[in-house]
């Protein structure tokens, strides 16, 4: 919970530094989802803690060395806000000054993220996808452990009239807002990551209030797992399409006759892919956690 | 006209800040959870409302105004529901409010000591 | 004028933080966090005007929604977790 | 079907208010998104008279004006008590009856109570409301049932 406060605070700092997009991400990811997931995992860990089977010293050693290397690496980094820093001299001026002409998207962050740094963002999307896979496989393996827990019941909505009515009004608005953020990433703060998280948050709210069973009837888990892969494939597919059309991987200029239109289309598709993956992974993870906490009711 | 709007918006902002501050102090000063909810609700309703209205006067006609109204409506609905959910959860978990008495509308509103 | 308002909101956030650290019950903390969240929304909106960048309002909307969802989530979680855990946390 | 239409209208309005970009591309995204969300909401079974209160749209502004006045008055009272200190409060728990016919009406009533500082709805079971009031005066004000009657009138 203090983590939640922390991320609200840090979002304020980012706003102070004028990094709207980062603040946006922090707002949606940090303040809401991470708190919830942390609580959920805390709960699981609490109940299922066992003796460690691996050698902790080895891991400690690896972590120490990695940490030391990272710190050593930062020694060479320029001071914060140093105008002579390579980051300020090399590509940034080009990004800032020419992105409007080259890509035609008013929000610089989006053009950097999805176009100039297309590879990086593809990598990030893959990381999220892998994280989702990791969580799925982890929870799948340990789901063989049988433990009794009686204190977990699905939501009983007859007891929660007020919450039910208000949630019914809010959920459609949350979902449409997520899509709005998705498609306005070019103009304002936002984009695939944030939209995915907000969308997932709407679904998570629905699941929390109406119960896992109802929620899975509306959003089939199999479909959502497929969607996680679909988002990544869509991103990579755009890249491959660029290659087929004679450009480099993720070189959107060739998608249309006019490079600016090509860039625009490419960015839109890529962002959509990111959004789909993020939302689907989040929902899957939440389903898995919730399933872990209520499944005894269904097995018995 | 312009100056009038400015004055009104400043008054709203100052008053809103004052109510926020009052609520924050009440959050610290009131003795137990259930009375603290009331303090928090000051900042959520009149504090937030006045600040938003103050901003609206600065915004002029347009999308910004509409967005401000949206934020205000959302936060009122969400804040109210969240307060209720917290109070209910606290009551359910066994936290008892300290009260001087209870009343029941069916017994003619007569206070009955509990 | 916006600066003064922003400063007052920061002070109120600090007050809410004090309450969040002091407790004494779990629900006091949740109340404080919720209050902190609503103040953040206000702060974001005021900052948007302070810097003359109304896109900030989008962030404020996200905050309203996410704050609501996370408070409900936390409550749900502790409801599930039962009384015993709640007392340990508090 | 009527409710789906109402929902779509509301979603489109929400989008238009937020967007500020009225190019054909973005507008077509709007249409796609609205249809998609409306479909999802239909699947989620959240589209009905409770989430789209069509029948009370016309009588609600008057109630809001009255409620705003109440909220302001209550705010000033509670703010005064914050400065006066904890001795000035006299918390009460009261049980009252809600006379509304539908769940939605009762939710409006319960939320109006919570919205007014000084009173918080603790529980809503059947048509019985449990309310925590900060002061005896606030409790007494609620027991007169004026708000209850007004909400019932809005419900129509």
């Amino acid at each position: 919970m203090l983590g939640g406060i922390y991320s609200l605070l840090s979002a304020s700092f980012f706003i102070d530094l004028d990094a709207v997009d980062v603040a946006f991400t922090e707002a949606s990811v940090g303040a809401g989802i991470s708190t919830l997931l942390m609580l959920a995992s805390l709960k699981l860990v609490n109940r299922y803690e066992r003796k460690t089977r691996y050698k902790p010293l080895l891991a400690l050693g690896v972590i120490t060395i990695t940490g030391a290397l990272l710190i050593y690496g930062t020694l060479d980094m320029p001071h914060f806000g140093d105008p002579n820093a390579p980051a300020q001299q090399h590509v940034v001026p080009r990004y800032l000054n020419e992105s409007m002409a080259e890509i035609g998207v008013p929000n610089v962050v989006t053009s950097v993220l999805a176009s100039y740094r297309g590879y990086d963002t593809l990598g990030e999307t893959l990381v999220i996808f892998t994280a989702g896979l990791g969580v799925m496989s982890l929870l799948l393996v340990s789901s063989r452990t049988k433990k009794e827990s009686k204190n977990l019941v699905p939501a009983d909505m007859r007891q929660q009239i007020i919450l039910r009515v208000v949630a019914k009004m809010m959920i459609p608005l949350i979902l449409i807002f997520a899509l709005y953020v998705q498609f306005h990433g070019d103009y304002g703060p936002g984009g695939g990551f944030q939209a995915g998280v907000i969308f997932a948050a709407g679904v998570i709210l629905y699941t929390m209030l109406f119960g896992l069973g109802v929620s899975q009837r509306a959003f089939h888990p199999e479909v959502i797992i497929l969607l996680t892969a679909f988002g990544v494939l869509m991103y990579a597919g755009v890249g491959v399409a660029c290659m087929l059309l004679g450009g480099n991987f993720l070189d959107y200029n060739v998608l249309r006759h006019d490079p600016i239109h090509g860039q625009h289309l490419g960015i839109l598709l890529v962002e959509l892919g990111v959004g789909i993956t993020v939302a689907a992974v989040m929902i899957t993870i939440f389903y898995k956690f919730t399933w872990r906490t209520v499944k005894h009711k269904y097995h018995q | 006209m312009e100056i009038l709007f400015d004055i009104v918006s400043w008054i709203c902002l100052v008053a809103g800040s004052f109510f926020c501050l009052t609520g924050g102090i009440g959050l610290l000063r009131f003795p137990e959870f259930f009375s603290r909810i009331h303090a928090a609700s000051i900042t959520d309703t009149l504090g937030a409302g006045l600040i938003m209205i103050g901003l609206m006067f600065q915004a002029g006609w347009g999308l910004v105004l509409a967005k401000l109204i949206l934020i205000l409506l959302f936060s009122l609905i969400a804040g109210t529901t969240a307060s209720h959910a917290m109070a209910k959860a606290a009551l359910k978990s066994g936290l008892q409010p300290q009260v001087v008495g209870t009343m029941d509308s069916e017994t003619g509103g007569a206070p009955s000591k509990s | 004028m916006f600066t003064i308002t922003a400063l007052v909101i920061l002070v109120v956030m600090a007050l809410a933080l004090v309450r969040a650290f002091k407790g004494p019950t779990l629900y006091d903390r949740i109340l404080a966090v919720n209050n902190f969240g609503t103040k953040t929304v206000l702060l974001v909106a005021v900052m948007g005007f302070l810097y003359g960048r109304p896109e900030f309002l989008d962030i404020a909307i996200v905050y309203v929604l996410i704050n609501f969802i996370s408070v409900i989530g936390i409550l749900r979680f502790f409801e599930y977790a039962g009384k015993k855990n709640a007392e340990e946390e508090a | 079907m009527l409710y789906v239409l109402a929902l779509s209208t509301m979603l489109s309005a929400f989008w238009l208010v937020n967007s500020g970009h009225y190019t054909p591309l973005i507008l077509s995204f709007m249409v796609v998104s609205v249809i998609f969300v409306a479909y999802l909401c239909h699947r989620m079974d959240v589209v009905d008279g409770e989430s789209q209160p069509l029948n009370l749209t016309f009588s609600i502004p008057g109630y809001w004006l009255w409620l705003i006045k109440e909220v302001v008055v209550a705010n000033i009272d509670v703010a005064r008590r914050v400065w006066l200190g904890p001795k000035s409060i006299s918390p009460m728990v009261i049980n009252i009856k809600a006379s509304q016919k539908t769940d939605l009406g009762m939710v409006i009533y319960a939320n109006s109570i919570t919205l007014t500082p000084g009173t918080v709805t603790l529980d809503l079971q059947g048509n019985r409301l449990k309310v925590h009031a900060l002061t005896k005066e606030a409790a007494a004000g609620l027991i007169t049932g004026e708000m209850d009657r007004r909400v019932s009138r809005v419900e129509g």
Side-chain angles (χ1 to χ4, degrees):
Chain A
M1 229 179 312
L2 291 175
I5 294 189
Y6 168 74
S7 66
L8 288 172
L9 259 185
S10 50
S12 316
F13 290 143
F14 286 132
I15 289 171
D16 232 19
L17 293 173
D18 235 14
V20 195
D21 285 78
V22 189
F24 212 98
T25 321
E26 183 64 35
S28 43
V29 182
I33 306 295
S34 65
T35 320
L36 290 183
L37 288 182
M38 185 113 100
L39 283 173
S41 49
L42 263 182
K43 185 153 176 43
L44 281 181
V45 169
N46 229 345
R47 199 146 19 93
Y48 291 97
E49 195 173 30
R50 262 174 283 149
K51 281 185 113 181
T52 44
R53 262 179 263 134
Y54 55 90
K55 296 187 178 67
L57 267 184
L58 181 68
L60 187 69
V62 171
I63 291 171
T64 316
I65 293 169
T66 324
L69 282 176
L70 282 176
I71 293 171
Y72 177 73
T74 56
L75 289 181
D76 283 343
M77 297 244 287
H79 292 291
F80 178 74
D82 184 354
N84 294 322
Q88 312 278 1
Q89 285 188 333
H90 182 47
V91 285
V92 166
R94 174 161 164 238
Y95 286 170
L96 288 182
N97 298 330
E98 291 167 31
S99 81
M100 195 63 201
E102 287 181 13
I103 300 182
V105 167
N107 187 356
V108 185
V109 178
T110 302
S111 59
V112 170
L113 200 69
S115 184
Y116 291 119
R117 291 292 177 85
Y119 286 139
D120 294 4
T121 311
L122 178 61
E124 283 160 29
T125 316
L126 275 171
V127 166
I128 290 174
F129 177 63
T130 322
L133 281 184
V135 170
M136 277 183 244
S137 50
L138 267 180
L139 291 185
L140 225 61
V141 169
S142 49
S143 71
R144 286 193 205 108
T145 45
K146 277 183 184 150
K147 278 238 173 179
E148 278 295 309
S149 57
K150 282 173 277 179
N151 49 2
L152 294 162
V153 281
D156 180 8
M157 283 318 288
R158 268 166 301 175
Q159 297 295 311
Q160 306 273 358
I161 303 173
I162 298 179
L163 274 184
R164 186 191 70 207
V165 172
V166 172
K168 272 182 173 179
M169 293 179 192
M170 301 270 281
I171 286 171
L173 292 179
I174 295 175
L175 297 186
I176 196 85
F177 189 75
L179 291 175
Y180 155 74
V181 170
Q182 171 81 55
F183 292 121
H184 284 69
D186 305 0
Y187 302 102
F193 285 99
Q194 295 89 334
V197 172
I198 298 171
F199 196 90
V203 177
I204 287 174
L205 176 67
Y206 180 68
T207 314
M208 283 191 303
L209 292 181
F210 292 81
L212 188 67
V214 179
S215 173
Q216 290 199 332
R217 235 171 290 143
F219 304 94
H220 293 295
E222 296 86 13
V223 177
I224 289 175
I225 289 175
L226 279 182
L227 280 179
T228 59
F230 177 73
V232 178
L233 284 180
M234 187 158 163
Y235 198 139
V238 172
V240 174
C242 294
M243 275 164 84
L244 291 178
L245 289 170
N248 289 321
F249 188 64
L250 290 176
D251 178 9
Y252 313 129
N253 285 347
V254 294
L255 283 178
R256 288 275 190 86
H257 299 299
D258 180 0
I260 289 194
H261 280 163
Q263 287 285 355
H264 201 104
L265 182 70
I267 291 178
L268 268 177
L269 288 175
V270 163
E271 289 274 6
L272 194 60
V274 173
I276 291 174
T277 302
V278 171
V281 167
M282 292 283 175
I283 296 171
T284 311
I285 293 178
F286 187 76
Y287 274 174
K288 292 284 171 193
F289 274 120
T290 321
W291 174 242
R292 281 295 297 267
T293 45
V294 297
K295 77 174 160 17
H296 62 95
K297 281 204 75 130
Y298 297 85
H299 277 322
Q300 283 157 12
Chain B
M1 205 57 196
E2 194 81 334
I3 194 96
L4 188 73
F5 269 29
D6 271 359
I7 290 171
V8 174
S9 104
W10 288 345
I11 291 173
C12 285
L13 284 176
V14 171
S17 308
F18 171 75
F19 275 108
C20 275
L21 196 63
T22 309
I25 290 169
L27 200 61
L28 287 184
R29 210 167 170 194
F30 277 162
E32 44 110 30
F33 170 72
F34 289 95
S35 40
R36 282 181 199 133
I37 293 184
H38 300 297
S41 124
I42 301 183
T43 63
D44 280 357
T45 55
L46 207 54
L50 280 174
I51 288 181
M52 283 296 173
I53 291 171
L55 292 180
M56 282 176 207
F57 275 111
Q58 295 284 333
W61 291 106
L63 284 179
V64 177
L65 179 72
K67 275 192 195 182
L68 283 172
I69 295 175
L70 260 183
I71 295 176
L72 184 57
L73 279 182
F74 264 168
S75 59
L76 283 181
I77 296 176
T80 312
T81 313
S83 300
H84 160 75
M86 279 186 282
K88 183 171 176 171
L91 191 72
K92 231 175 147 185
S93 79
L95 196 66
Q96 282 302 323
Q98 301 165 0
V99 290
V100 296
T102 58
M103 272 197 237
D104 204 305
S105 63
E106 288 190 343
T107 57
S112 59
K113 295 278 175 226
S114 61
Chain C
M1 188 45 60
F2 293 136
T3 325
I4 296 174
T5 314
L7 283 178
V8 172
I9 295 173
L10 279 175
V11 170
V12 178
M13 285 162 97
L15 292 176
L17 264 186
V18 172
R19 179 46 77 199
F21 279 114
K22 262 171 85 179
T25 68
L26 170 73
Y27 294 98
D28 283 302
R29 291 181 217 270
I30 299 179
L31 179 67
V33 171
N34 181 36
N35 201 33
F36 192 88
T38 54
K39 293 295 93 56
T40 318
V41 173
L42 284 183
L43 186 66
V44 169
V46 174
M47 294 265 252
F49 276 83
L50 199 59
Y51 293 130
R53 295 187 56 183
E55 308 98 278
F56 281 93
L57 293 178
D58 280 355
I59 304 181
I61 297 181
V62 176
Y63 264 108
V64 176
L65 299 175
I66 295 287
N67 190 38
F68 176 64
I69 294 177
S70 61
V71 166
I72 300 291
I74 292 170
L75 287 176
R76 269 278 120 115
F77 169 73
F78 284 110
E79 213 172 286
Y80 281 157
K83 222 165 137 191
K84 206 177 111 250
N85 271 11
E87 274 161 12
E88 278 166 15
E89 283 282 320
Chain D
M1 199 59 221
L2 185 66
Y3 292 126
V4 175
L5 275 181
L7 177 74
S8 310
T9 321
M10 189 178 73
L11 291 178
S12 312
F14 183 76
W15 179 291
L16 290 174
V17 160
N18 269 305
S19 160
H21 293 279
Y22 304 115
T23 58
L25 181 74
I26 293 288
L27 284 179
S28 52
F29 282 142
M30 179 192 92
V31 174
V32 173
S33 310
V34 166
I35 292 172
F36 180 62
V37 171
Y39 168 70
L40 282 184
C41 292
H42 179 69
R43 284 192 69 129
M44 287 195 280
D45 201 18
V46 297
V47 194
D48 54 25
E50 271 178 7
S51 63
Q52 306 298 320
L54 292 176
N55 51 334
L56 35 93
T57 320
F58 297 107
S59 46
I60 235 170
Y63 175 69
W64 276 0
L65 283 181
W66 179 81
L67 185 63
I68 289 172
K69 190 206 87 195
E70 287 295 297
V71 169
V72 171
V73 170
N75 256 302
I76 293 168
D77 181 58
V78 177
R80 201 170 52 91
R81 285 171 205 276
V82 169
W83 293 104
L84 284 176
K87 291 215 169 54
S88 62
I89 62 170
S90 47
M92 303 276 278
V93 170
I94 54 176
N95 289 301
I96 47 175
K97 238 178 147 162
S99 64
Q100 289 76 30
K101 289 183 285 295
T102 57
D103 280 358
L104 177 69
M106 279 190 280
V107 169
I108 294 178
Y109 185 34
N111 264 358
S112 306
I113 291 174
T114 315
L115 193 62
T116 322
T119 48
V120 170
T121 311
L122 294 179
D123 208 351
L124 171 59
Q125 298 249 335
N127 64 349
R128 308 282 303 164
L129 284 161
K130 192 182 248 185
V131 179
H132 183 269
L134 189 63
T135 60
K136 274 180 191 154
E137 293 79 14
L142 211 52
I143 279 194
T144 61
E146 195 191 351
M147 187 184 269
D148 184 38
R149 279 193 295 279
R150 283 178 185 266
V151 177
S152 293
R153 221 178 302 152
V154 166
E155 198 186 25

